[in-house]
Amino acid sequence: MEGISAVVFDLYGTLYDVHSVALELEALYPGEGLEMSRLWRQKQLEYTWLRSLMGQYINFESATYDALRFCCAQMKLPLDTPTQERLCSSYLRLRTFSDTFDALRRLKNSGLPLGIVSNGSNYSIAQVVDNSDMRWAFNELISADDVAIFKPDSRVYALAEQRMDLPREQILFVSSNAWDATGATHFGFPVCWINRQGNAFDELGARPKYVASNLGMMTDMVLKGV
Amino acid sequence: MEGISAVVFDLYGTLYDVHSVALELEALYPGEGLEMSRLWRQKQLEYTWLRSLMGQYINFESATYDALRFCCAQMKLPLDTPTQERLCSSYLRLRTFSDTFDALRRLKNSGLPLGIVSNGSNYSIAQVVDNSDMRWAFNELISADDVAIFKPDSRVYALAEQRMDLPREQILFVSSNAWDATGATHFGFPVCWINRQGNAFDELGARPKYVASNLGMMTDMVLKGV
């Protein structure tokens, strides 16, 4: 890639696997883990978008907690306080994907500044990064909470540009979430969409400049030129 | 109900059944109709919210068309131009629910002004209403297109208040979509959520003032007092 001076990553679903929560769910609700995990994630996203649109921002942990309560009510499953705390805290101990560590190490060694820009709160981002021993990789951990609205609102992408202290054209934005890759493209970042599962790209009026099937391929593209 | 001087309705899913499109889909894609209908509707909603948040508004027909293209790409199904036109136009010929006609007739006979406030364009709303011979019921057909952003942004609810020419506290807002019922409640309408399928209500920081399991029960509540 030409002209890239820094790389920023989405966190949930891009560097860290949100479906690792499914294991915890399956232990608590045998036979329901996968469906619950899918519904919880779907509602978590919807709630961030809807609250942003309604002008009713709450932080990501609260939206995650609300989404869990909805899931249990909808699926007619019990949810006591210890279960709820255990599940919400599992969002602070997400696993990296198998390609995350090596990609970040190679990019870091090349001297590029790296960052995370996430809808998670500062607390959540720091917890996830620290619990996986990945703090060494990042120059900046950037939270939507600082502008009190969620991606794909442009104020979150603008915050990333400001904190990385570079013009947007020089910051590669990496996300596996097609809606996020689209928002970042509309904002003006060069974007690499990580398409691990061979999904179709969302039809939201913009296409990312780059597509890779994993973080290793993205890193190759950054370091060797496309 | 006390102090209600007008009633406004959401269109898609509240007065008209969006899953009636599934029959058309099933004819074109045997065995896939129900799943496609579900995914198409999900993406149609997501695209309206995401485009609103990204400041990339397009009208509802265009978002519907984009959602259909995504569905076919994701499900690896073909989509030629005649099929696409046939499916998108099926959104203009939606069926009312079985309780719609009678509820509107009773409310109309009581002398209450009635309106629709929908994310659909003026063209779509008019087509759906005319194709089902329901124009007699409504004093106002109100489209989000006039403010170029979708519900649950408060500007759409404000437009309804303005067009019905009454203070928001006197306008009953009726929707079967929990996110819409929440947005309208945050705005300040008294809201009746129509919960036909015994769903859990979304956890978005507000509860509707009234809940009914169909439009007939809602009408009883309006006309007889709760």
PDB file of all heavy atoms in Angstrom, chain A residues 105-128:
ATOM      1  N   ARG A 105       2.294  -7.940  15.502  1.00  0.00           N
ATOM      2  CA  ARG A 105       3.740  -7.966  15.726  1.00  0.00           C
ATOM      3  C   ARG A 105       4.495  -7.501  14.485  1.00  0.00           C
ATOM      4  O   ARG A 105       5.400  -6.669  14.558  1.00  0.00           O
ATOM      5  CB  ARG A 105       4.168  -9.388  16.116  1.00  0.00           C
ATOM      6  CG  ARG A 105       5.617  -9.511  16.608  1.00  0.00           C
ATOM      7  CD  ARG A 105       6.023 -10.956  16.832  1.00  0.00           C
ATOM      8  NE  ARG A 105       5.703 -11.820  15.684  1.00  0.00           N
ATOM      9  CZ  ARG A 105       6.378 -11.870  14.534  1.00  0.00           C
ATOM     10  NH1 ARG A 105       7.440 -11.117  14.351  1.00  0.00           N
ATOM     11  NH2 ARG A 105       5.992 -12.690  13.567  1.00  0.00           N
ATOM     12  N   ARG A 106       4.095  -8.006  13.331  1.00  0.00           N
ATOM     13  CA  ARG A 106       4.772  -7.623  12.087  1.00  0.00           C
ATOM     14  C   ARG A 106       4.572  -6.147  11.767  1.00  0.00           C
ATOM     15  O   ARG A 106       5.508  -5.461  11.356  1.00  0.00           O
ATOM     16  CB  ARG A 106       4.260  -8.482  10.928  1.00  0.00           C
ATOM     17  CG  ARG A 106       4.730  -9.936  11.010  1.00  0.00           C
ATOM     18  CD  ARG A 106       4.016 -10.808   9.978  1.00  0.00           C
ATOM     19  NE  ARG A 106       4.294 -10.370   8.614  1.00  0.00           N
ATOM     20  CZ  ARG A 106       3.463 -10.524   7.580  1.00  0.00           C
ATOM     21  NH1 ARG A 106       2.267 -11.086   7.768  1.00  0.00           N
ATOM     22  NH2 ARG A 106       3.806 -10.107   6.384  1.00  0.00           N
ATOM     23  N   LEU A 107       3.349  -5.651  11.960  1.00  0.00           N
ATOM     24  CA  LEU A 107       3.094  -4.232  11.684  1.00  0.00           C
ATOM     25  C   LEU A 107       3.864  -3.353  12.662  1.00  0.00           C
ATOM     26  O   LEU A 107       4.454  -2.334  12.278  1.00  0.00           O
ATOM     27  CB  LEU A 107       1.593  -3.938  11.775  1.00  0.00           C
ATOM     28  CG  LEU A 107       0.735  -4.530  10.650  1.00  0.00           C
ATOM     29  CD1 LEU A 107      -0.754  -4.413  10.988  1.00  0.00           C
ATOM     30  CD2 LEU A 107       1.023  -3.837   9.309  1.00  0.00           C
ATOM     31  N   LYS A 108       3.882  -3.764  13.924  1.00  0.00           N
ATOM     32  CA  LYS A 108       4.595  -3.014  14.955  1.00  0.00           C
ATOM     33  C   LYS A 108       6.087  -2.944  14.636  1.00  0.00           C
ATOM     34  O   LYS A 108       6.703  -1.879  14.721  1.00  0.00           O
ATOM     35  CB  LYS A 108       4.366  -3.709  16.306  1.00  0.00           C
ATOM     36  CG  LYS A 108       4.849  -2.918  17.503  1.00  0.00           C
ATOM     37  CD  LYS A 108       3.909  -1.763  17.784  1.00  0.00           C
ATOM     38  CE  LYS A 108       4.428  -0.899  18.925  1.00  0.00           C
ATOM     39  NZ  LYS A 108       3.619   0.334  19.021  1.00  0.00           N
ATOM     40  N   ASN A 109       6.646  -4.079  14.242  1.00  0.00           N
ATOM     41  CA  ASN A 109       8.079  -4.128  13.906  1.00  0.00           C
ATOM     42  C   ASN A 109       8.427  -3.234  12.723  1.00  0.00           C
ATOM     43  O   ASN A 109       9.562  -2.776  12.594  1.00  0.00           O
ATOM     44  CB  ASN A 109       8.514  -5.568  13.592  1.00  0.00           C
ATOM     45  CG  ASN A 109       8.583  -6.414  14.867  1.00  0.00           C
ATOM     46  OD1 ASN A 109       8.557  -5.875  15.975  1.00  0.00           O
ATOM     47  ND2 ASN A 109       8.660  -7.732  14.699  1.00  0.00           N
ATOM     48  N   SER A 110       7.454  -2.995  11.858  1.00  0.00           N
ATOM     49  CA  SER A 110       7.716  -2.130  10.700  1.00  0.00           C
ATOM     50  C   SER A 110       7.772  -0.668  11.104  1.00  0.00           C
ATOM     51  O   SER A 110       8.126   0.194  10.294  1.00  0.00           O
ATOM     52  CB  SER A 110       6.619  -2.323   9.650  1.00  0.00           C
ATOM     53  OG  SER A 110       5.456  -1.593  10.031  1.00  0.00           O
ATOM     54  N   GLY A 111       7.395  -0.367  12.355  1.00  0.00           N
ATOM     55  CA  GLY A 111       7.467   1.010  12.836  1.00  0.00           C
ATOM     56  C   GLY A 111       6.191   1.816  12.665  1.00  0.00           C
ATOM     57  O   GLY A 111       6.141   2.986  13.057  1.00  0.00           O
ATOM     58  N   LEU A 112       5.134   1.215  12.083  1.00  0.00           N
ATOM     59  CA  LEU A 112       3.871   1.948  11.919  1.00  0.00           C
ATOM     60  C   LEU A 112       3.168   2.142  13.269  1.00  0.00           C
ATOM     61  O   LEU A 112       3.048   1.189  14.038  1.00  0.00           O
ATOM     62  CB  LEU A 112       2.916   1.170  11.008  1.00  0.00           C
ATOM     63  CG  LEU A 112       3.226   1.148   9.514  1.00  0.00           C
ATOM     64  CD1 LEU A 112       2.386   0.079   8.807  1.00  0.00           C
ATOM     65  CD2 LEU A 112       2.954   2.528   8.895  1.00  0.00           C
ATOM     66  N   PRO A 113       2.707   3.351  13.571  1.00  0.00           N
ATOM     67  CA  PRO A 113       1.873   3.514  14.765  1.00  0.00           C
ATOM     68  C   PRO A 113       0.545   2.770  14.575  1.00  0.00           C
ATOM     69  O   PRO A 113      -0.044   2.803  13.493  1.00  0.00           O
ATOM     70  CB  PRO A 113       1.618   5.025  14.841  1.00  0.00           C
ATOM     71  CG  PRO A 113       2.504   5.653  13.830  1.00  0.00           C
ATOM     72  CD  PRO A 113       2.893   4.611  12.838  1.00  0.00           C
ATOM     73  N   LEU A 114       0.104   2.113  15.645  1.00  0.00           N
ATOM     74  CA  LEU A 114      -1.129   1.323  15.579  1.00  0.00           C
ATOM     75  C   LEU A 114      -2.131   1.825  16.617  1.00  0.00           C
ATOM     76  O   LEU A 114      -1.742   2.304  17.690  1.00  0.00           O
ATOM     77  CB  LEU A 114      -0.833  -0.160  15.844  1.00  0.00           C
ATOM     78  CG  LEU A 114       0.253  -0.821  14.985  1.00  0.00           C
ATOM     79  CD1 LEU A 114       0.414  -2.297  15.375  1.00  0.00           C
ATOM     80  CD2 LEU A 114      -0.055  -0.701  13.495  1.00  0.00           C
ATOM     81  N   GLY A 115      -3.404   1.685  16.301  1.00  0.00           N
ATOM     82  CA  GLY A 115      -4.440   2.101  17.247  1.00  0.00           C
ATOM     83  C   GLY A 115      -5.669   1.215  17.157  1.00  0.00           C
ATOM     84  O   GLY A 115      -5.840   0.453  16.211  1.00  0.00           O
ATOM     85  N   ILE A 116      -6.487   1.310  18.198  1.00  0.00           N
ATOM     86  CA  ILE A 116      -7.816   0.687  18.178  1.00  0.00           C
ATOM     87  C   ILE A 116      -8.828   1.818  18.215  1.00  0.00           C
ATOM     88  O   ILE A 116      -8.653   2.787  18.961  1.00  0.00           O
ATOM     89  CB  ILE A 116      -8.019  -0.235  19.404  1.00  0.00           C
ATOM     90  CG1 ILE A 116      -7.258  -1.548  19.206  1.00  0.00           C
ATOM     91  CG2 ILE A 116      -9.501  -0.521  19.660  1.00  0.00           C
ATOM     92  CD1 ILE A 116      -7.319  -2.495  20.402  1.00  0.00           C
ATOM     93  N   VAL A 117      -9.872   1.728  17.388  1.00  0.00           N
ATOM     94  CA  VAL A 117     -10.984   2.679  17.502  1.00  0.00           C
ATOM     95  C   VAL A 117     -12.270   1.858  17.592  1.00  0.00           C
ATOM     96  O   VAL A 117     -12.657   1.158  16.664  1.00  0.00           O
ATOM     97  CB  VAL A 117     -11.002   3.722  16.371  1.00  0.00           C
ATOM     98  CG1 VAL A 117     -10.958   3.093  14.997  1.00  0.00           C
ATOM     99  CG2 VAL A 117     -12.220   4.625  16.496  1.00  0.00           C
ATOM    100  N   SER A 118     -12.877   1.937  18.765  1.00  0.00           N
ATOM    101  CA  SER A 118     -13.956   1.002  19.094  1.00  0.00           C
ATOM    102  C   SER A 118     -15.154   1.714  19.699  1.00  0.00           C
ATOM    103  O   SER A 118     -15.020   2.762  20.328  1.00  0.00           O
ATOM    104  CB  SER A 118     -13.415  -0.022  20.097  1.00  0.00           C
ATOM    105  OG  SER A 118     -14.463  -0.799  20.633  1.00  0.00           O
ATOM    106  N   ASN A 119     -16.313   1.106  19.515  1.00  0.00           N
ATOM    107  CA  ASN A 119     -17.521   1.574  20.202  1.00  0.00           C
ATOM    108  C   ASN A 119     -17.478   1.264  21.700  1.00  0.00           C
ATOM    109  O   ASN A 119     -18.268   1.809  22.468  1.00  0.00           O
ATOM    110  CB  ASN A 119     -18.768   0.945  19.567  1.00  0.00           C
ATOM    111  CG  ASN A 119     -19.238   1.716  18.341  1.00  0.00           C
ATOM    112  OD1 ASN A 119     -18.843   2.862  18.136  1.00  0.00           O
ATOM    113  ND2 ASN A 119     -20.084   1.085  17.535  1.00  0.00           N
ATOM    114  N   GLY A 120     -16.587   0.371  22.115  1.00  0.00           N
ATOM    115  CA  GLY A 120     -16.437   0.064  23.531  1.00  0.00           C
ATOM    116  C   GLY A 120     -16.004   1.292  24.328  1.00  0.00           C
ATOM    117  O   GLY A 120     -15.409   2.214  23.777  1.00  0.00           O
ATOM    118  N   SER A 121     -16.279   1.274  25.613  1.00  0.00           N
ATOM    119  CA  SER A 121     -15.836   2.367  26.475  1.00  0.00           C
ATOM    120  C   SER A 121     -14.322   2.263  26.674  1.00  0.00           C
ATOM    121  O   SER A 121     -13.719   1.219  26.408  1.00  0.00           O
ATOM    122  CB  SER A 121     -16.522   2.280  27.827  1.00  0.00           C
ATOM    123  OG  SER A 121     -16.069   1.124  28.500  1.00  0.00           O
ATOM    124  N   ASN A 122     -13.709   3.321  27.180  1.00  0.00           N
ATOM    125  CA  ASN A 122     -12.271   3.275  27.488  1.00  0.00           C
ATOM    126  C   ASN A 122     -11.953   2.114  28.434  1.00  0.00           C
ATOM    127  O   ASN A 122     -10.948   1.427  28.252  1.00  0.00           O
ATOM    128  CB  ASN A 122     -11.825   4.610  28.109  1.00  0.00           C
ATOM    129  CG  ASN A 122     -11.774   5.722  27.072  1.00  0.00           C
ATOM    130  OD1 ASN A 122     -11.014   5.649  26.112  1.00  0.00           O
ATOM    131  ND2 ASN A 122     -12.587   6.743  27.243  1.00  0.00           N
ATOM    132  N   TYR A 123     -12.829   1.904  29.400  1.00  0.00           N
ATOM    133  CA  TYR A 123     -12.613   0.815  30.354  1.00  0.00           C
ATOM    134  C   TYR A 123     -12.639  -0.545  29.658  1.00  0.00           C
ATOM    135  O   TYR A 123     -11.751  -1.374  29.852  1.00  0.00           O
ATOM    136  CB  TYR A 123     -13.691   0.870  31.447  1.00  0.00           C
ATOM    137  CG  TYR A 123     -13.642  -0.299  32.404  1.00  0.00           C
ATOM    138  CD1 TYR A 123     -12.681  -0.349  33.414  1.00  0.00           C
ATOM    139  CD2 TYR A 123     -14.550  -1.349  32.295  1.00  0.00           C
ATOM    140  CE1 TYR A 123     -12.633  -1.420  34.292  1.00  0.00           C
ATOM    141  CE2 TYR A 123     -14.510  -2.424  33.171  1.00  0.00           C
ATOM    142  CZ  TYR A 123     -13.544  -2.459  34.168  1.00  0.00           C
ATOM    143  OH  TYR A 123     -13.497  -3.527  35.022  1.00  0.00           O
ATOM    144  N   SER A 124     -13.654  -0.774  28.806  1.00  0.00           N
ATOM    145  CA  SER A 124     -13.771  -2.058  28.110  1.00  0.00           C
ATOM    146  C   SER A 124     -12.575  -2.314  27.197  1.00  0.00           C
ATOM    147  O   SER A 124     -12.023  -3.417  27.175  1.00  0.00           O
ATOM    148  CB  SER A 124     -15.038  -2.109  27.251  1.00  0.00           C
ATOM    149  OG  SER A 124     -16.167  -2.311  28.045  1.00  0.00           O
ATOM    150  N   ILE A 125     -12.198  -1.305  26.433  1.00  0.00           N
ATOM    151  CA  ILE A 125     -11.078  -1.484  25.499  1.00  0.00           C
ATOM    152  C   ILE A 125      -9.817  -1.843  26.284  1.00  0.00           C
ATOM    153  O   ILE A 125      -9.101  -2.797  25.942  1.00  0.00           O
ATOM    154  CB  ILE A 125     -10.835  -0.207  24.661  1.00  0.00           C
ATOM    155  CG1 ILE A 125     -12.072   0.139  23.829  1.00  0.00           C
ATOM    156  CG2 ILE A 125      -9.615  -0.388  23.748  1.00  0.00           C
ATOM    157  CD1 ILE A 125     -11.977   1.496  23.127  1.00  0.00           C
ATOM    158  N   ALA A 126      -9.542  -1.087  27.346  1.00  0.00           N
ATOM    159  CA  ALA A 126      -8.333  -1.334  28.146  1.00  0.00           C
ATOM    160  C   ALA A 126      -8.359  -2.733  28.754  1.00  0.00           C
ATOM    161  O   ALA A 126      -7.346  -3.450  28.746  1.00  0.00           O
ATOM    162  CB  ALA A 126      -8.205  -0.273  29.240  1.00  0.00           C
ATOM    163  N   GLN A 127      -9.517  -3.150  29.251  1.00  0.00           N
ATOM    164  CA  GLN A 127      -9.646  -4.482  29.845  1.00  0.00           C
ATOM    165  C   GLN A 127      -9.381  -5.582  28.814  1.00  0.00           C
ATOM    166  O   GLN A 127      -8.636  -6.526  29.076  1.00  0.00           O
ATOM    167  CB  GLN A 127     -11.053  -4.663  30.423  1.00  0.00           C
ATOM    168  CG  GLN A 127     -11.272  -3.946  31.738  1.00  0.00           C
ATOM    169  CD  GLN A 127     -10.650  -4.704  32.908  1.00  0.00           C
ATOM    170  OE1 GLN A 127     -10.924  -5.874  33.106  1.00  0.00           O
ATOM    171  NE2 GLN A 127      -9.776  -4.044  33.638  1.00  0.00           N
ATOM    172  N   VAL A 128     -10.009  -5.462  27.665  1.00  0.00           N
ATOM    173  CA  VAL A 128      -9.853  -6.491  26.621  1.00  0.00           C
ATOM    174  C   VAL A 128      -8.389  -6.585  26.193  1.00  0.00           C
ATOM    175  O   VAL A 128      -7.824  -7.677  26.063  1.00  0.00           O
ATOM    176  CB  VAL A 128     -10.765  -6.184  25.408  1.00  0.00           C
ATOM    177  CG1 VAL A 128     -10.432  -7.080  24.224  1.00  0.00           C
ATOM    178  CG2 VAL A 128     -12.242  -6.345  25.789  1.00  0.00           C
TER     179      VAL A 128
END
